């Protein structure tokens, strides 16, 4: 869907498309920033008033946590997780204690909240990397508590009467989770990456999203914009009839998706199964209802975030069996615990690493504690026995052939099918050798781009580098898929790249044999594949590989697929 240029329309602002869709509407911005108190002019509270002030603060923090927890209870999946994590921060003993200590010395509650939050922001900022998203959460909780204490309205997501397009600098994940799709048609942010929590939640809500849009600040509230989240553009004051036609075409395309039933194949009949990424039984049931052909990535670690102790083999077996049962005989690819970095597990992750993304994460945890991996594999084998299924089991963050050999032996010993994720460029480079030892590969493009482009996947400032259309990432995918073809073994993609319908066609053209994405993206990917021939996919893949940057790769692939 390309924007029609007319003398009326301004040049579109460009960004990175994340969740597809085309919408038109007036601009709204997040509710005005919460007015924070001025610490310098705050008077010291008399001693007699301090206990009452402390109680007022506790009540405010409680109200904020309660509201977030109630929203979490009404949500599912990652949305629920993000809301509970933010609610947890509003109940965090460290943060609450730091505020109370200040109140005890006579600092008014609102000022104490700002000061204590700043202390946490400074610590998280100095830790860097993985803690970046926590800074947004701390500021979010600070603003909510100050708003509660000072009688300002709840900050965050607006709920306009006229359906609107939300433009923001960035949104806290909790704000994104609170958006009402009946009132917010789509969103564009100046910052934000394609693999951030905000992006993952927008995908779950099926809200068109473009991130990293330059020049968004200058668009006034109330202006009409065309948000084209297929192209990654925001056009201010577009020519009405062509904008309307684009929206209508996108709406019809979305309607066609409702009829999607799978299985996925190109127009000329080359099967490219589209599986779902899940984290539990409920998610698996939803994915099967969305016509996913199985589970391409079961992220086992997500069930245990926030747990202090390792779950027992029995507890794990019960959870895994629920997923196998829900998949009802379809393929399930289970990933062993990917603890560490952006998903720390208290019982598995070493504390205080300088560079957690380059540290002891994923399979590397088994270096320190091989028993943890063995007990998980025992639980998987037990769940397989109970449900009569044969899951495929893969390890995250493999870097060397030796690691793959060791992992495969442990998996085969238990009658399961071993594979590994391709997240570290070393595996893509030596894929032929790894394939001598394992039965399949699954490319995790989120981490593969992080490691290939040397850019933190959580960094909003570097979102252009971790864009899955980076030609260098596509070249690593191509090399891996070629090795799979030579070995006659499957090579799938399970990173966020597989959720982009256009990129899915390119991945198929590169020789990838299956795709796995969030359940709401399954129909879009399957329907797009059904509309193109495999020869056009190959042509699009060659064109994208030959491009110098993500934007050119997208444009070249789109042109090739339109011709084919
Ligand atoms: C990936 O890295 O692409 C992947 C699928 O794993 P995760 O996003 O869970 O790190
Ligand atoms: Mg990964």
């Amino acid at each position: 869907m390309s924007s029609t240029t007319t003398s009326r329309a301004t040049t579109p602002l460009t960004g990175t498309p994340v969740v597809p869709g085309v919408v038109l509407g007036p601009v709204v911005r997040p509710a005005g920033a919460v007015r924070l108190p001025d610490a310098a002019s705050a008077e010291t509270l008399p001693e007699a008033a301090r206990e009452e002030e402390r109680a007022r603060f506790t009540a405010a923090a409680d109200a904020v946590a309660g509201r977030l927890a109630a929203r979490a209870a009404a949500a599912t999946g990652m949305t629920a997780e993000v809301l509970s994590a933010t609610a947890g921060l509003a109940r965090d003993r460290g943060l609450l204690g730091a505020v109370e200590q200040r109140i005890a010395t006579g600092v008014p509650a609102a000022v104490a909240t700002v000061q204590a939050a700043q202390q946490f922001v400074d610590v998280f900022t100095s830790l860097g990397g993985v803690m970046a998203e926590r800074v947004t959460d701390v500021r979010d909780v600070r603003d909510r508590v100050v708003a509660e204490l000072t009688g300002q309205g709840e900050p965050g997501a607006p709920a306009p009467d006229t359906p609107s397009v939300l433009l923001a600098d960035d949104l806290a994940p909790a704000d994104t989770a609170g958006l009402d799709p009946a009132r917010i048609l789509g969103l564009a942010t100046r910052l934000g990456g394609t693999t951030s929590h905000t992006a993952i939640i927008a995908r779950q809500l099926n809200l068109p999203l473009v991130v990293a849009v330059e020049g968004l600040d200058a668009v006034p509230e109330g202006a009409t914009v065309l948000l084209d989240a297929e192209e990654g553009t925001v056009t201010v004051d577009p020519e009405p009839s062509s904008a309307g036609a684009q929206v209508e075409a996108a709406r019809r395309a979305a309607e066609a998706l409702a009829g999607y039933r799978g299985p996925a194949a190109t127009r000329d009949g080359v099967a490219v199964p589209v599986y779902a990424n899940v984290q539990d039984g409920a998610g698996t049931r939803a994915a099967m209802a969305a016509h996913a052909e199985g589970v391409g990535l079961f992220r086992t670690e997500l069930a245990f975030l926030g747990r202090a102790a390792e779950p027992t083999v029995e507890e794990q077996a019960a959870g895994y069996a629920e997923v196998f049962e829900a998949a009802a005989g379809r393929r399930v690819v289970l990933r062993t615990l990917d603890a560490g970095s952006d998903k720390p597990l208290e019982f598995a992750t070493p504390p205080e690493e300088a560079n957690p993304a380059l540290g002891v994460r994923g399979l590397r945890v088994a270096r320190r504690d091989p028993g943890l991996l063995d007990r998980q594999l025992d639980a998987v084998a037990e769940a397989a026995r109970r449900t009569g299924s044969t899951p495929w089991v893969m390890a995250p963050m493999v870097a060397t052939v030796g690691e793959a050999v060791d992992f495969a032996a442990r998996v085969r010993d238990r009658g399961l099918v071993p594979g590994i994720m391709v997240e570290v460029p070393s595996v893509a480079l030596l894929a032929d050798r790894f394939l001598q030892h394992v039965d399949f590969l699954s490319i995790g493009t989120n981490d593969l781009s992080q490691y290939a482009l040397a850019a933190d996947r959580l960094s909003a400032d570097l979102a252009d580098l971790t864009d899955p259309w980076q030609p260098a990432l596509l070249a690593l995918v191509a090399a891996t898929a070629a090795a799979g073809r030579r070995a006659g073994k499957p090579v799938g993609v399970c990173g966020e790249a597989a959720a982009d319908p256009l990129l899915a066609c390119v991945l198929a053209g590169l020789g990838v044999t299956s795709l796995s994405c969030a359940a709401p993206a399954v129909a879009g990917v399957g329907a797009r594949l059904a509309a193109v021939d495999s020869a056009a996919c190959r042509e699009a893949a060659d064109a994208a590989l030959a491009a110098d940057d993500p934007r050119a790769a997208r444009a070249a692939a789109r042109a090739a697929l339109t011709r084919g």
Side-chain angles (χ1 to χ4, degrees):
M1 223 150 302
S2 62
S3 319
T4 308
T5 312
T6 72
S7 55
R8 176 193 170 106
T10 50
T11 311
L13 306 173
T14 56
T16 306
V18 179
V19 184
V22 181
V23 295
L24 178 71
V27 169
V28 278
R29 295 211 168 251
V34 172
R35 286 181 310 283
L36 298 176
D38 177 11
S41 62
E43 284 176 15
T44 305
L45 295 169
E47 230 172 293
R50 294 178 191 172
E51 181 47 34
E52 197 181 319
E53 187 70 349
R54 195 194 60 77
R56 212 167 67 77
F57 165 71
T58 309
D62 237 29
V64 167
R67 269 200 296 271
L68 289 165
R71 280 188 211 147
T76 56
M78 178 68 88
T79 310
E81 250 169 52
V82 164
L83 286 167
S84 339
T86 314
L89 196 57
R91 293 200 167 107
D92 183 84
R93 295 167 77 94
L95 185 57
L96 299 188
V99 178
E100 285 169 354
Q101 266 175 19
R102 286 176 166 79
I103 297 175
T105 66
V107 180
V111 176
T113 303
V114 171
Q115 291 175 344
Q118 190 55 44
Q119 180 191 331
F120 277 68
V121 165
D122 290 344
V123 171
F124 287 156
T125 308
S126 71
L127 289 173
V130 64
M131 290 308 189
E133 292 222 343
R134 295 305 274 169
V135 169
T136 313
D137 291 342
V138 172
R139 292 202 175 113
D140 185 34
V141 166
R142 173 199 67 190
D143 290 355
R144 286 171 197 277
V145 173
V146 169
E148 186 72 23
L149 283 165
T150 54
Q152 302 179 54
E154 194 185 2
D161 291 335
T162 311
S164 303
V165 178
L166 177 60
L167 305 188
D169 251 19
D170 199 4
L171 281 176
D175 285 341
T176 312
L179 292 175
D180 174 358
R183 294 164 187 256
I184 298 296
L185 301 166
L187 41 144
T189 62
R190 191 173 63 81
L191 303 170
T194 52
T195 53
S196 66
H197 284 145
T198 298
I200 291 170
I201 292 168
R203 185 165 287 120
Q204 275 191 353
L205 296 173
N206 211 10
L207 269 179
L209 167 67
V210 182
V211 300
V213 184
E214 265 179 55
L216 210 56
D217 289 353
V219 184
E221 183 137 14
T224 300
V225 291
L226 178 72
L227 174 80
D228 184 341
E230 314 265 339
E231 285 276 4
T233 57
V234 177
T235 307
V236 185
D237 194 18
E239 198 282 312
S241 65
S242 77
Q246 282 186 58
V247 172
E248 183 49 26
R251 197 190 56 73
R252 274 201 307 275
E255 242 172 43
L257 296 187
Y260 178 79
R261 295 285 176 273
T266 57
R267 188 163 54 191
D268 54 328
V270 176
V272 188
V274 180
Y275 303 122
N277 296 349
V278 306
Q279 63 186 70
D280 55 22
T284 309
R285 286 187 285 277
M288 298 307 117
H291 306 287
E293 289 163 66
V295 170
L297 170 62
F298 173 12
R299 290 181 162 109
T300 55
E301 68 282 351
L302 293 185
F304 308 123
L305 294 175
R307 291 275 294 265
E310 180 187 340
T312 63
V313 169
E314 175 47 39
E315 185 188 352
Q316 291 187 58
Y320 304 154
E322 197 187 331
V323 169
F324 301 162
E325 199 77 60
R330 298 179 188 87
R331 162 90 34 87
V332 176
V333 184
L334 176 146
R335 176 173 75 185
T336 55
L337 294 175
D338 184 20
S341 191
D342 56 331
K343 294 171 291 238
L345 291 184
E346 211 175 317
F347 58 87
T349 310
E352 297 178 20
E353 287 185 296
N355 284 308
L358 300 178
V360 182
R361 64 166 291 204
L363 182 65
R364 298 170 182 187
V365 168
R367 292 171 177 233
R368 303 166 73 230
D369 184 1
L372 187 61
L373 174 61
D374 281 333
R375 288 186 291 277
Q376 182 176 27
L377 292 176
D378 287 344
V380 177
E382 173 57 20
R385 190 193 60 73
R386 282 183 203 166
T387 54
S389 39
T390 309
W392 292 17
V393 183
M394 63 182 180
M397 277 299 285
V398 173
T400 68
V401 175
E403 288 170 346
V405 169
D406 176 72
F407 179 77
R410 289 172 201 260
V411 173
R412 284 194 214 283
D413 278 353
R414 291 165 172 88
L416 306 167
V417 179
I420 55 169
M421 290 191 75
V422 183
E423 295 176 294
V424 182
S426 59
V427 182
L429 292 169
L430 300 184
D432 290 304
R433 294 192 219 165
F434 284 88
L435 279 163
Q436 289 169 20
H437 305 285
V438 296
D439 292 359
F440 68 97
L441 300 178
S442 181
I443 305 175
T445 46
N446 307 337
D447 277 311
L448 189 58
S449 61
Q450 154 161 279
Y451 298 124
L453 278 294
D456 185 342
R457 65 189 267 186
L458 297 179
S459 166
D461 293 335
L462 303 178
D464 56 320
L465 295 179
T466 46
D467 187 322
W469 284 88
Q470 279 289 354
L473 175 72
L474 299 179
L476 290 169
V477 172
T480 311
R485 244 188 336 271
R486 287 190 288 273
K489 293 185 177 179
V491 173
V493 168
C494 65
E496 291 295 305
D500 173 343
L502 187 66
L503 186 46
C505 299
V506 168
L507 296 172
L510 290 171
V512 159
T513 55
S514 68
L515 300 161
S516 189
C517 55
V522 166
V525 169
R528 189 67 177 249
L529 285 167
V532 296
D533 284 326
S534 53
C537 291
R538 284 193 295 276
E539 218 183 292
D542 287 343
L545 277 174
D548 284 341
D549 60 56
R551 180 157 295 280
R554 257 190 210 98
R558 191 186 298 279
L561 288 167
T562 312
R563 277 197 304 277

